Amino acid sequence: LIKDHKVHKNSQFPPHLVILATNFTACFSKVGYLGLKSVLDSHGINYTLFSINQASDLKTTLSRCQLNRALLSIFSIDVFNMCPSIKFSLIKKTVYFFSSNLPSKTRCTLNTCLKLIEFGMSSMLLSFHNKYYQYHCGDKDGERGLAIGGFESAFLADLVACYLLEAMIDLFGDEHPFKGMYRDDGIYVTNGK
């Protein structure tokens, strides 16, 4: 996603401008993300089950739960560099998790959406002192991370966070008074010490 940046003095752009993709390739991630979201929405898949929309919602929800700290284990989640830490391979695994019960034709559509997103993610350019460079970090298949500020990045980061909290059920069981994510911060409350 290229944002319109104001030209500074002497018709120069800011010296450390990050461009996430060219105008042409940005549309691939955008179309892939919108397709992915549309398919998940149309099949009633709740990928926002653990999303906390406002920080104040967390306090309200927790106070309604009437938790007894002496009987619970509380895990605090603070993801360092969340977007760059979310690799395409994890996004793919997440989409496969949420689509595992969908018809095969629908899963093929999701695979196409993933290919569009992957192409967009691999087309990032960086600008440093008015010179442009292609971003090569994590060039191995599936190892490129989400761009901070990318059109699809916030949605995909939330989707992965929901998947990770779902996966914690395997570790800690289904009995949990609360779990949720707010951006890159989360909380997981489970019964027992």
Side-chain angles (χ1 to χ4, degrees), residues 28-58:
F28 288 91
S29 287
K30 184 175 182 178
V31 168
Y33 146 72
L34 291 173
L36 181 66
K37 186 177 182 324
S38 175
V39 169
L40 295 176
D41 288 343
S42 68
H43 285 83
I45 296 174
N46 188 0
Y47 51 83
T48 61
L49 184 62
F50 307 115
S51 296
I52 300 167
N53 296 322
Q54 297 289 327
S56 59
D57 293 344
L58 175 62

Side-chain angles (χ1 to χ4, degrees), residues 1-123:
L1 173 67
I2 291 185
K3 297 180 180 176
D4 294 329
H5 294 275
K6 303 286 185 228
V7 177
H8 290 270
K9 295 179 184 174
N10 303 332
S11 300
Q12 297 292 317
F13 286 102
H16 304 291
L17 177 66
V18 175
I19 300 176
L20 303 175
T22 65
N23 280 329
F24 175 71
T25 58
C27 69
F28 288 91
S29 287
K30 184 175 182 178
V31 168
Y33 146 72
L34 291 173
L36 181 66
K37 186 177 182 324
S38 175
V39 169
L40 295 176
D41 288 343
S42 68
H43 285 83
I45 296 174
N46 188 0
Y47 51 83
T48 61
L49 184 62
F50 307 115
S51 296
I52 300 167
N53 296 322
Q54 297 289 327
S56 59
D57 293 344
L58 175 62
K59 182 179 176 186
T60 304
T61 304
L62 286 175
S63 63
R64 269 189 266 141
C65 290
Q66 298 178 354
L67 304 172
N68 182 347
R69 292 184 74 178
L71 303 174
L72 303 169
S73 293
I74 301 172
F75 299 90
S76 175
I77 303 164
D78 187 9
V79 183
F80 180 71
N81 291 331
M82 186 163 182
C83 279
S85 298
I86 297 176
K87 308 299 183 198
F88 183 75
S89 56
L90 181 57
I91 294 167
K92 208 169 168 178
K93 190 174 185 178
T94 299
V95 171
Y96 290 163
F97 171 81
F98 282 110
S99 65
S100 63
N101 294 325
L102 297 179
S104 80
K105 186 175 180 180
T106 304
R107 288 195 312 268
C108 286
T109 301
L110 289 173
N111 276 328
T112 301
C113 293
L114 284 169
K115 287 178 185 176
L116 290 168
I117 292 168
E118 183 178 32
F119 179 78
M121 286 175 69
S122 67
S123 303

